[in-house]
Amino acid sequence: MTKYLIALDLDGTTLNDQSRISLRTQRTLNKLAKMGNVVSIITGRPFRISHQYYDQLQLHSPMANLNGALTHIPYRQWKDEESETVPRDLVFDLLAHQKELGVETISVEDKSHVWANRPTSILPEFIPDHLQSDQLLSSGTLNHDPLCVTVHYQAALLPRLKKFVMDNYGDVVEPRVWGGSYDIIELIHRGIHKEKSVKKIAAAYGINRQQIIAFGDESNDREMLAYAGTGVAMKNAISKIKSVADDVTPWDNNADGLARYLQGFFGLRDE
């Protein structure tokens, strides 16, 4: 049997709108993994709020977090683990110019920790709504370069914030504004995309490009879907993702669109 890499975005793709994996999706992915395929979560989420899905699916394969800033096998050492950081100085520059740049909240991640300048309830799943004393962002608590910086900003000052980042750190940092209704910008190492992690995982397992099938729905999935041998946009995906995909699921993320597509692709019966 030909081995595939099955690359899975989480939100809006593998997860329904209640942030859950359906039983049908779980059974389908479990079966494909047991058949010898490599099932990998490739998500913008940090590991601290995605490990539960990795555990639920009982995976032992690599995963990517923070849109490819971290590629690793959870709970074990992996010789191909890779991480790309951003300068620690960026964080404290933003704090020093917080008012003039319209910065409300700064959340900083590494592989297993999060720090913030203050707790906030704007998006508690992603940005902490409570902090322990050692999570309060300071030069003492953050003593190394992080993987990702997430900033909640004042919408009117976004051009000023982006210009500051580009003028001072644009050679190593790439700003990406989140979609949807949230005034949030993500700052990660320049050139990092989900595609990079997919390439690394495929190479580690000897899987060629044509045997990569990738699923996504939002702008951060674009490079991954364009690179994959079969890039699949969800029915609920934004239009620019559908335009680069090879196919679109007939069903959305609330109707087991991922599982039903994979069952058809691999000729599996629903149980």
Side-chain angles (χ1 to χ4, degrees):
M1 178 194 127
T2 301
K3 181 194 300 184
Y4 277 79
L5 169 58
I6 303 168
L8 309 171
D9 170 55
L10 282 179
D11 294 281
T13 302
T14 307
L15 306 183
N16 61 26
D17 289 348
Q18 289 71 50
S19 295
R20 294 175 181 166
I21 298 176
S22 72
L23 183 59
R24 184 176 189 170
T25 299
Q26 182 174 338
R27 285 175 173 169
T28 300
L29 294 173
N30 287 164
K31 182 177 287 188
L32 289 168
K34 288 177 181 176
M35 290 167 59
N37 299 292
V38 179
V39 177
S40 286
I41 293 171
I42 313 290
T43 180
R45 289 179 177 235
F47 184 62
R48 65 183 172 87
I49 55 170
S50 57
H51 66 86
Q52 67 270 35
Y53 305 116
Y54 186 91
D55 296 344
Q56 180 182 346
L57 293 172
Q58 301 177 332
L59 297 177
H60 303 285
S61 51
M63 75 180 297
N65 291 104
L66 300 167
N67 290 316
L70 173 66
T71 309
H72 62 127
I73 299 180
Y75 317 122
R76 54 170 277 199
Q77 296 293 319
W78 184 41
K79 65 180 180 63
D80 293 311
E81 179 169 322
E82 186 172 73
S83 59
E84 298 279 0
T85 60
V86 296
R88 173 178 176 269
D89 289 348
L90 165 66
V91 177
F92 298 108
D93 254 1
L94 291 174
L95 281 174
H97 298 87
Q98 185 175 350
K99 189 172 182 179
E100 67 189 83
L101 296 177
V103 171
E104 297 284 352
T105 307
I106 302 178
S107 177
V108 182
E109 305 269 356
D110 69 7
K111 183 177 180 179
S112 54
H113 298 89
V114 60
W115 301 264
N117 64 320
R118 67 183 183 96
T120 178
S121 58
I122 181 176
L123 197 59
E125 192 173 19
F126 286 86
I127 302 176
D129 59 358
H130 64 279
L131 295 169
Q132 303 295 327
S133 59
D134 60 352
Q135 293 179 302
L136 191 61
L137 187 57
S138 73
S139 57
T141 55
L142 180 67
N143 55 20
H144 56 276
D145 290 342
L147 291 171
C148 180
V149 179
T150 304
V151 179
H152 174 221
Y153 58 86
Q154 296 172 22
L157 295 180
L158 177 60
R160 184 182 298 179
L161 173 59
K162 289 177 72 173
K163 185 176 187 304
F164 178 86
V165 172
M166 293 303 296
D167 286 350
N168 293 281
Y169 298 94
D171 56 334
V172 292
V173 172
E174 186 170 342
R176 298 182 193 168
V177 177
W178 282 21
S181 59
Y182 299 106
D183 295 324
I184 291 176
I185 190 169
E186 181 180 81
L187 307 174
I188 63 174
H189 192 92
R190 178 158 292 281
I192 293 298
H193 297 281
K194 290 184 176 185
E195 172 196 1
K196 184 177 181 183
S197 292
V198 168
K199 285 181 177 178
K200 171 168 277 296
I201 296 168
Y205 286 82
I207 297 171
N208 67 47
R209 182 176 180 177
Q210 292 308 308
Q211 271 61 61
I212 300 172
I213 179 169
F215 295 83
D217 71 307
E218 275 288 351
S219 57
N220 62 338
D221 300 310
R222 183 175 64 83
E223 292 85 1
M224 175 175 73
L225 266 61
Y227 175 77
T230 305
V232 184
M234 300 299 293
K235 182 180 181 180
N236 50 285
I238 60 174
S239 58
K240 73 176 182 179
I241 292 303
K242 291 179 179 178
S243 70
V244 302
D246 299 297
D247 206 354
V248 178
T249 65
W251 312 275
D252 67 17
N253 64 310
N254 291 313
D256 293 327
L258 171 73
R260 293 167 76 173
Y261 188 94
L262 284 169
Q263 286 171 345
F265 189 90
F266 287 96
L268 306 178
R269 292 187 306 168
D270 186 32
E271 295 180 357

